[in-house]
Amino acid sequence: MPKTHVTRDEALKLLKKYNKEPFHILHALTVEGTMRWYAENLGFSEEAAFWAMAGLLHDIDFEGWPEEHCKKAPELLAEIGAEPELVHAICSHGYGICCDVEPVLEMEKVLFAADELTGLIGAVIKMRPSGSTMDLEVKSVKKKFKDKRFAAGCSRDVITTGAERLGWTLDELIGKTILAMRSCEASVNREIGEIQGEQ
C-alpha cells in the first residue's frame, strides 16, 4: 500500500522553493485536496495522505523547467527523500505528453485525469459570478469543454483519455472532480491567502 514518510510541511516548503507564481501554488493545493477527496471516496482512505502528496507536488518542476516537466522532478523530489512510488506517481501524470512513465495504479490514473480537469474547472469558475464550484454543474463544464478556445492550455485529449483509463464517462469524471474541488475550496482559498501574505 503506497505510503509516504514525507511530511506535508516538507512538501509545502519544497513547493514554495520552486514555485513563486500564486497560480501554480493554487493549482497544487487544489489538486492536493482533489486527490485526497478521491482517495477517501474510491475506497483508498488509508492512502489519502499519499494521494494528496502526489497532488501537491505533481507540478514541482513545471514553473522552473517547463521544457523538462516530469523529467526534472525526480531530482527535486530527492531533496526531501521522496520514495520511488511517489516519484513514479508524480511523473506518470505527464505520460504521453512529456514523459513515458505510465500511470498504472488507480491513484496515478486519477491524477492523470483530474489534473488537467481541475485547471479547466478553475477557469470556468473564474467566469462565474460566484467564483465558486459550490453552484457549478456538469453541463456548464461540458459546454466550456467543447469550446476549444476556452482555456486552450487544458488538454481535452488528456481529460478524455484519463476518463477512459479509469473506465468512467466524461460526465462521471467531471461530476466527481467538481465534488472533490468543493470539498477543499474553502481550505485552499484560506491557505493561498496565508501564503500570499507571507510573500
Side-chain angles (χ1 to χ4, degrees):
M1 183 188 329
K3 289 204 180 218
T4 180
H5 60 74
V6 176
T7 68
R8 188 177 189 272
D9 282 349
E10 289 171 324
L12 195 58
K13 195 179 282 184
L14 190 73
L15 178 73
K16 291 193 283 189
K17 178 179 178 181
Y18 292 112
N19 289 266
K20 305 300 180 191
E21 287 284 335
F23 175 80
H24 290 151
I25 297 173
L26 175 67
H27 175 64
L29 295 173
T30 300
V31 179
E32 175 193 27
T34 297
M35 290 298 290
R36 184 179 296 282
W37 181 93
Y38 266 115
E40 290 167 351
N41 285 271
L42 294 179
F44 296 90
S45 54
E46 289 179 12
E47 298 175 18
F50 184 85
W51 287 47
M53 187 70 70
L56 183 65
L57 294 173
H58 77 286
D59 276 348
I60 189 67
D61 60 0
F62 184 71
E63 186 174 310
W65 298 269
E67 301 303 315
E68 295 178 69
H69 185 34
C70 295
K71 297 186 181 77
K72 185 79 175 175
E75 181 188 324
L76 306 185
L77 294 166
E79 291 182 27
I80 52 171
E83 42 282 285
E85 294 85 354
L86 184 60
V87 175
H88 186 280
I90 287 167
C91 292
S92 73
H93 88 277
Y95 181 64
I97 312 156
C98 54
C99 77
D100 55 5
V101 179
E102 187 169 0
V104 178
L105 300 175
E106 187 80 355
M107 183 271 289
E108 294 170 341
K109 293 176 184 177
V110 170
L111 180 60
F112 180 88
D115 171 33
E116 289 287 304
L117 184 54
T118 59
L120 180 69
I121 292 172
V124 172
I125 62 173
K126 271 190 183 166
M127 311 284 293
R128 296 172 67 80
S130 67
S132 169
T133 54
M134 295 304 171
D135 59 354
L136 183 64
E137 295 180 8
V138 172
K139 64 183 180 186
S140 301
V141 178
K142 280 287 285 289
K143 189 175 174 186
K144 293 297 188 185
F145 182 90
K146 289 171 182 167
D147 178 2
K148 300 293 195 291
R149 291 164 304 175
F150 179 81
C154 297
S155 169
R156 274 61 169 175
D157 288 344
V158 167
I159 296 168
T160 304
T161 302
E164 287 167 359
R165 280 180 168 269
L166 286 161
W168 300 348
T169 64
L170 183 58
D171 282 25
E172 280 180 286
L173 176 61
I174 294 171
K176 285 181 168 77
T177 304
I178 289 172
L179 292 176
M181 290 176 70
R182 280 180 189 166
S183 76
C184 62
E185 185 175 293
S187 60
V188 167
N189 287 342
R190 186 170 60 248
E191 189 165 9
I192 195 71
E194 289 167 2
I195 290 169
Q196 286 178 297
E198 293 166 8
Q199 290 176 342

